[in-house]
Each structure stands twice: as C-alpha cells, then as structure tokens.
C-alpha cells in the first residue's frame, strides 16, 4: 500500500481515495433520497470537514445550501474537560430549516454533543449528523450519528481534511499516524 508519496510519519492507510469515493457516493444517495423535496442546509465544521463537505455536497442530487462553523475543542487533548468554544458562528438562521451537521470525526463525542445542543436550541425543522469517521472506543458521551462513513480504531488519523498540528490535511487518503509522532517521541 505504501509508495514514495506517502510521508514517513504515516503508519498505515485506513481508507484509500477509492474507498472514500464509494462511501461518499452511498452517503450522498441516502441523503438525496431522505431530503427530497425539503430545503436542506449542510453545516460544515471547520477546518477538518472542508474537503469532506465539498465532495459530499457536489454529489447531492437535491438543492441545498452550505454554511460553516468553527469550533475549538479541548476535549480531545490534554485536559479531557470536554470544553468546546465557538470560534466562528453560522451566517444562516437555521430556524425551521432541515439541517445536517457535517463533521470530520467523532472521538470523545463532546464536540458533536455541544453542537447538537447548541443548534437544537435554534429550533431547526430537523437536525441530523453526517460524520466521516468515528472512534467508538474513545467515546465519553453518547451522540447520535445519522450518516457514518467509517468506524476506526483508537489511532490519530490524518488526511482528507484531518490534520496533526495543521499538517497532512491534503493527503488524498485517510491514514493512521505513527504513534511516536503524536506521543512526541
Ligand atoms: P471530540 O469532541 O473528542 O469528539 O473530538 C472531535 C474533534 O477532535 C474533531 O472534530 C477533530 O477536530 C479532532 N480529532 C479527534 N480525533 C482526531 C484524529 O484522529 N485526527 C484528527 N483530528 C481529530
């Protein structure tokens, strides 16, 4: 699976470009069928979901609009406090709209839980979540994922929008980083 283009820090490719394409085709078909005849708003969570959202949105066969939010989470890092902050809010008013949160990865679940509570309070007509990757072994709070791409083990993953210290985001596949890279050794 490894070739010259794969950085040394990568341990293993978990999903190839082709596998991602297939999963997105399926997801987009389901979403297009589920939301046919409804006004759909996709909310991409920056920065991690920007590639996922762009590829998913272009596959939808129904009209939809797109907006973004940016959050900062401390939950997945040193403190595990679950504290989440809004860095950039939506431009759109979501009241009475059919909304799907588009998130790169659910780890502890704190970020998605926070978002679901925050957005529910704004009274959308409906609220669902579409998540590319989930690490079930890391979950600390229960969250509902309506559309899921891949379940993965407890490893730090990069590529296809996901980063480690702002690196590796534009790799065209999803890959596990060597543990020594994020363990600092
Ligand atoms: P949670 O709040 O613990 O579920 O974490 C969600 C956020 O942590 C994601 O939106 C990512 O930004 C980040 N994150 C968690 N695990 C990974 C990973 O393996 N690679 C890249 N980012 C991650």
């Amino acid at each position: 699976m490894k070739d010259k283009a794969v950085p040394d820090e990568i341990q293993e490719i978990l999903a190839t470009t082709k596998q991602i394409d297939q999963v997105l085709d399926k997801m987009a078909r389901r979403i297009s069928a589920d939301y046919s005849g409804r006004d759909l708003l996709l909310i991409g969570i920056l920065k991690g979901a920007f590639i996922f959202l762009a590829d998913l949105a272009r596959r939808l066969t129904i009209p939809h609009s797109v907006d973004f939010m940016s959050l900062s989470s401390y939950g997945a890092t040193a403190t595990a406090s679950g504290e989440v902050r809004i860095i950039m809010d939506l431009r759109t008013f979501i009241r009475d709209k059919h909304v799907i949160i588009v998130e790169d990865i659910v780890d502890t679940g704190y970020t998605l839980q926070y978002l679901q509570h925050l957005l529910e309070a704004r009274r959308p007509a409906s609220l669902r979540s579409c998540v590319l990757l989930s690490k079930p072994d890391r979950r600390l709070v229960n969250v509902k994922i309506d559309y899921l791409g891949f379940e993965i083990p407890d490893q730090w993953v990069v590529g296809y929008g996901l980063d480690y210290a702002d690196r590796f985001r534009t790799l065209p596949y999803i890959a596990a980083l060597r543990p020594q890279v994020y363990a600092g050794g």
Side-chain angles (χ1 to χ4, degrees):
M1 181 53 73
K2 289 197 87 168
D3 61 34
K4 264 200 280 185
V6 177
D8 285 345
E9 293 92 335
I10 299 300
Q11 174 164 282
E12 178 193 0
I13 293 178
L14 300 179
T16 62
T17 307
K18 193 169 167 203
Q19 288 167 329
I20 298 169
D21 281 347
Q22 286 167 348
V23 160
L24 262 71
D25 283 345
K26 216 165 131 190
M27 241 181 201
R29 271 201 300 275
R30 278 185 60 204
I31 294 173
S32 298
D34 291 352
Y35 287 84
S36 151
R38 295 194 227 171
D39 230 355
L40 173 63
L41 170 67
L42 301 177
I43 298 181
I45 308 307
L46 297 173
K47 298 177 193 173
F50 82 112
I51 293 176
F52 175 38
L53 177 96
D55 284 350
L56 180 71
R58 285 179 294 174
R59 282 171 162 84
L60 296 180
T61 54
I62 52 165
H64 59 276
S65 44
V66 167
D67 201 349
F68 292 95
M69 279 182 92
S70 177
L71 302 172
S72 146
S73 152
Y74 301 119
T77 56
T79 66
S81 67
E83 188 181 333
V84 181
R85 275 189 305 142
I86 299 183
I87 305 295
M88 185 190 87
D89 205 341
L90 299 171
R91 285 170 180 257
T92 317
F93 292 101
I94 64 167
R95 192 175 178 129
D96 299 331
K97 296 206 168 114
H98 293 283
V99 173
I100 301 182
I101 299 168
V102 180
E103 173 69 305
D104 56 352
I105 187 164
V106 175
D107 185 44
T108 63
Y110 281 128
T111 306
L112 188 58
Q113 183 190 56
Y114 170 85
L115 264 172
Q116 286 173 337
H117 289 158
L118 181 88
L119 297 180
E120 277 295 359
R122 299 181 187 181
R123 311 259 198 95
S126 66
L127 181 66
R128 285 188 179 175
S129 61
C130 176
V131 173
L132 182 63
L133 300 158
S134 169
K135 293 189 212 172
D137 298 344
R138 293 263 311 161
R139 203 72 90 248
L140 293 177
V141 287
N142 264 329
V143 283
K144 192 165 82 73
I145 300 176
D146 299 285
Y147 305 96
L148 175 65
F150 303 90
E151 277 201 349
I152 56 166
D154 177 10
Q155 286 172 301
W156 194 267
V157 293
V158 295
Y160 201 69
L162 291 102
D163 74 310
Y164 174 70
D166 244 339
R167 295 179 62 205
F168 312 112
R169 267 192 215 284
T170 52
L171 294 176
Y173 44 78
I174 296 159
L177 215 53
R178 291 188 191 285
Q180 25 320 6
V181 177
Y182 55 89

